[in-house]
Every structure is written in structure tokens, then in C-alpha cells.
Amino acid sequence: MAVEDIGAQRVGNGNPGIGKQQADAGRCLECHGADGNSIDAKTPNHAGQYAAYLAKQLSDFQSGARKHEIMTIMAEDLSAADKADIGAYFASRKIMQGEGGDVNQSGRNLFANGDRSRDIPACSGCHGENGKGGIAGDVVYPVIGGQRKVYLRSQLVSWNLGERKNSPGGVMNTIAKSLSDEEIEALADYVSGL
């Protein structure tokens, strides 16, 4: 696939220019950053995230499939076009990058290889070798490489506990239930550095 096709697929059919205006007016940029990189460890980066993934999350906040007190309020009045445009804006930003540093070998091994003895697939199988996501059919695998460590940990814990249930077919719940606290920490550490 050509680089232009990947970029077009990442941005989708929304208008990034309109999306920037809406993200600013809707106060998205206050938490998620003007360039899509948040300054709060608990708030996810959206820089370079797939627009379709962001639009789905906003829809899930609207429907109650995903729960977050603030995001439910922020998303409640957004139309499908609004979600596509806001997603396109964040998708058009430079893809989030981790800071690298010391590599957590346990996290790296789980990310790259999974654990067949426990039916844990490699994270890279869906999220890509560098955690930069992808699209397969109608499923969007989000960018997780370079995401905030605290946010990654909190989401893995939420899937592990069944508090978050909006991944396709519940795949993230199944995987996260098999992870120990130490493995969740190792994965969050490794993936945040990508």
C-alpha cells in the first residue's frame, strides 16, 4: 500500500480543517493538546490516531458502550460528520511517538510474541510491529505505540476488570483477563516508548 493511501485511510472522509475548528470550539484541544499530544498522563494522545477509531470511541461514549463522565458529556451533541471531522483533524497530526529509553524486555516479548501457552496473541499482530495501528476490513486497530503509559495501564486494567467492553468481539477483555498486574505494567512501559 502506498504511503498516500495509508494517510488517506488514517484521515478517512472527514475534513481536518473543519475538525480543527470543531476540536477547538468543543474544547477537545484543552485536554488532548493542539497537536494531539496531551500534557496530562491520564489523558490519551490522539496525534496520528485513525479517524475511524476516534469516531467509534465518540459514538461509544454517546451510546454508553464506553463510559467516562466527561467524555460522555463532550460527545453527546456530536453528529456523525462532527465525529469524522474531529477524528480527521487528530489523524492528520504527526503520529505520536514514545521517548524510547530503556526497553522493558518482558513487555517487548509479550508485545512481539504473546504467550501461546496462555492463548495470548502478540499485540503486534493487530497493532502493528511498532504499535502504529492498522485497518483490516472494517476493524480499526488503534495506534498504541507512543501512547501515555498511565493511560495504557488504565485501559488494560479496565479491560481486565470488565469495566471497558467496547473492543471488537470483546477481544481486549479476553486478552487482558489473562495478563498479570506485572505484565500489564511491562506492556504499558514498553508500548509507551515506541
Side-chain angles (χ1 to χ4, degrees), residues 12 19 30 56-57 73 87 125 127 129 142-143 146 149 157 167 173 175:
E30 288 180 24
K56 178 195 182 298
Q57 299 312 302
I73 294 167
H127 294 284
E129 183 179 325
V143 176
K149 179 180 175 178
V157 169
S167 65
N173 296 98
I175 293 167

Side-chain angles (χ1 to χ4, degrees), residues 56-126:
K56 178 195 182 298
Q57 299 312 302
L58 290 167
S59 293
D60 287 353
F61 287 124
Q62 287 176 325
S63 72
R66 186 169 177 191
K67 305 206 182 300
H68 187 276
E69 187 176 347
I70 294 170
M71 285 307 304
T72 298
I73 294 167
M74 299 303 285
E76 68 184 349
D77 294 332
L78 296 175
S79 69
D82 293 337
K83 292 180 276 189
D85 291 339
I86 291 168
Y89 171 67
F90 284 118
S92 72
R93 306 291 87 209
K94 183 179 177 189
I95 298 173
M96 63 186 89
Q97 295 293 315
E99 295 178 11
D102 293 335
V103 174
N104 184 307
Q105 292 301 325
S106 174
R108 178 181 176 175
N109 184 52
L110 267 174
F111 183 86
N113 304 310
D115 184 342
R116 290 180 192 213
S117 69
R118 295 185 293 155
D119 292 324
I120 298 174
C123 307
S124 61
C126 294

Side-chain angles (χ1 to χ4, degrees), residues 52-68 71 127 138-142 151 154-156 158-174:
Y53 177 79
L54 292 173
K56 178 195 182 298
Q57 299 312 302
L58 290 167
S59 293
D60 287 353
F61 287 124
Q62 287 176 325
S63 72
R66 186 169 177 191
K67 305 206 182 300
H68 187 276
M71 285 307 304
H127 294 284
D138 62 352
V139 177
V140 180
Y141 298 101
Y151 179 76
S154 72
Q155 297 311 295
L156 286 168
S158 291
W159 277 308
N160 176 285
L161 297 173
E163 295 169 350
R164 182 172 175 188
K165 304 174 188 177
N166 71 326
S167 65
V171 65
M172 287 305 302
N173 296 98
T174 301

Side-chain angles (χ1 to χ4, degrees), residues 29 32-38 45-48 89-90 93-94 96:
L29 305 182
H32 297 287
D35 64 352
N37 291 293
S38 75
N45 293 328
H46 288 337
Y89 171 67
F90 284 118
R93 306 291 87 209
K94 183 179 177 189
M96 63 186 89

